[in-house]
Amino acid sequence: MKQKLFTYVMMAAGVSTFVACSNDDDTPDYSVKPYTVPATYNFNNASYTVSSQRVKMAIELDGYLKLANAGATTVPLDQAKVTNMFNNTGNPFADASLNTSGKNLREVTSDADHFKSYADSVLLYNTGTAAAPGIGGFVPRGANKIIVGPRGLEYGQSFVKGIMGGLYFKEAVRILTSVKGMAARDTAAAQKLWDEAFGYLAVPADYDTSKTYPNTDPNRPLLWGGYLAERGKSIQAGGIIFGAFLKGRAAIGGYDTQVRDGQVDIILAKWEQLAAAAALNYVTAPTASSAIGNYGSQLHALSEGQGFIASLKYRPANSKLTAANYAALAAIINKDFYVLLNQPGFTDLVTAQTILKTTYGL
């Protein structure tokens, strides 16, 4: 009896030992392996269709709202079309693939109702009334015009810049921050998320910082991608952000979480600095001697500045911008623009400039 029991125990131990050895042999090795950082975002399994579709939706809606700015006469817009474009209902887009995408702007935009109200306000004040302090309407701007509210805010600019912050930048921050919490073995999931964030930057896969992209180029940078050159050249935003996206994506495939996480920090810090650089330009331009008295240019610039400052609300947790300084910026840029433009020495705008310069090294 003892011999039989001993044999049974040894057989069980043998099976146990065999299984354990088999598991050890089959365990994947997630240690860092060699990888190459490419020059373009043409990774074999890269896909960012969803984010690209949402960028194209905003481009079409922005283009429709801008019809109101054309020429000196009133160009009527359709409220139902604006709402349908925001919600992607009723097949509103010229690009048929957007209508059938199953995606829309509202579903992932923070403060969606707030930004939608900006788009609606373009129609509200597109009446042919000349704007003045306390009266919404049109303000001449060159051969065209802008549509502003009673406090001088150009709602079309506030809408599109608001979407850039409350959707694209906010989603990039959320997505890339979540990638930092993923294990090396979560390769496919991390790559998918990384690609989605890259799509919100809205640059071509072969983005070239030395190239001037014509408006006729269907693969030209859009929205944030366009501002990489327009307002980000002095801080090398284009090359730094694009390069970090390439390096981080390659690092995911090489199980290199340390490098991956470092690229997340680089992307988000530089993207935030890009928003700040744009904001700085637009709170500075109206104070130039050549702009004084030209409400069309001044109100347009301040409205862009308002949108970029609003983007900073969605900054990453490790941002250099303190809550107090963000509150100060928001309080300034949400004042009546006519008041800001008529302050002796542009006191508030100079304060905003100082906060942006000192915080972001601009």
Side-chain angles (χ1 to χ4, degrees):
M1 182 67 181
K2 290 182 180 180
Q3 180 62 34
K4 289 183 179 179
L5 179 60
F6 177 80
T7 302
Y8 174 81
V9 172
M10 289 302 293
M11 288 176 64
V15 171
S16 177
T17 302
F18 173 78
V19 171
C21 289
S22 176
N23 284 345
D24 287 344
D25 291 342
D26 293 341
T27 299
D29 180 7
Y30 293 113
S31 59
V32 177
K33 63 180 181 180
Y35 57 90
T36 301
V37 180
T40 64
Y41 206 89
N42 289 315
F43 298 94
N44 290 333
N45 61 339
S47 176
Y48 40 94
T49 300
V50 170
S51 42
S52 295
Q53 287 174 330
R54 289 197 177 111
V55 169
K56 291 176 182 177
M57 288 176 185
I59 290 292
E60 281 208 35
L61 179 47
D62 178 48
Y64 183 68
L65 294 174
K66 279 187 168 71
L67 294 177
N69 296 347
T73 58
T74 303
V75 180
L77 301 180
D78 182 356
Q79 178 64 69
K81 184 174 180 66
V82 170
T83 298
N84 285 340
M85 294 177 88
F86 193 68
N87 297 329
N88 194 11
T89 52
N91 299 318
F93 295 107
D95 182 344
S97 68
L98 302 182
N99 297 325
T100 58
S101 66
K103 305 299 178 183
N104 62 65
L105 294 174
R106 176 180 289 280
E107 63 190 345
V108 289
T109 301
S110 291
D111 304 307
D113 289 339
H114 177 66
F115 294 126
K116 171 61 162 52
S117 73
Y118 286 157
D120 294 340
S121 293
V122 175
L123 283 71
L124 178 64
Y125 293 106
N126 182 35
T127 60
T129 301
I135 301 173
F138 74 90
V139 175
R141 184 168 181 249
N144 299 303
K145 59 187 179 298
I146 58 175
I147 307 301
V148 304
R151 292 156 59 91
L153 180 64
E154 183 186 355
Y155 288 110
Q157 285 299 320
S158 294
F159 167 74
V160 71
K161 300 308 184 295
I163 291 293
M164 286 171 62
L167 199 170
Y168 311 125
F169 178 56
K170 180 268 299 183
E171 280 295 281
V173 171
R174 180 189 67 79
I175 291 167
L176 293 178
T177 300
S178 71
V179 169
K180 288 184 70 173
M182 301 177 77
R185 65 179 177 272
D186 298 324
T187 306
Q191 288 172 337
K192 182 178 179 180
L193 289 170
W194 195 273
D195 292 344
E196 183 179 356
F198 175 73
Y200 288 127
L201 186 62
V203 297
D206 60 350
Y207 179 62
D208 183 351
T209 59
S210 67
K211 180 178 178 179
T212 300
Y213 293 86
N215 288 334
T216 55
D217 186 345
N219 294 315
R220 69 190 183 280
L222 300 171
L223 299 180
W224 282 113
Y227 278 91
L228 292 173
E230 186 175 344
R231 299 299 171 212
K233 275 192 174 181
S234 63
I235 57 172
Q236 295 83 49
I240 290 173
I241 296 176
F242 184 63
F245 265 115
L246 294 176
K247 190 172 183 178
R249 181 56 157 80
I252 292 172
Y255 307 134
D256 195 341
T257 57
Q258 183 175 354
V259 168
R260 176 201 69 188
D261 294 352
Q263 301 314 297
V264 169
D265 292 338
I266 290 170
I267 292 167
L268 296 184
K270 187 57 66 172
W271 200 328
E272 181 184 351
Q273 190 188 31
L274 172 62
L280 176 60
N281 178 274
Y282 293 122
V283 298
T284 302
T287 68
S289 58
S290 59
I292 293 175
N294 184 342
Y295 274 154
S297 294
Q298 288 179 301
L299 296 176
H300 177 78
L302 285 180
S303 300
E304 292 209 62
Q306 188 259 11
F308 282 113
I309 287 174
S311 296
L312 297 175
K313 174 181 178 180
Y314 311 104
R315 64 199 185 278
N318 62 351
S319 170
K320 295 178 181 178
L321 183 65
T322 66
N325 276 340
Y326 173 73
L329 288 171
I332 290 169
I333 205 63
N334 286 305
K335 287 185 177 182
D336 187 311
F337 283 178
Y338 295 105
V339 172
L340 290 175
L341 293 174
N342 286 286
Q343 283 182 336
F346 301 103
T347 307
D348 281 339
L349 292 179
V350 170
T351 298
Q353 293 167 23
T354 300
I355 292 172
L356 291 166
K357 288 177 181 177
T358 55
T359 301
Y360 293 101
L362 300 170

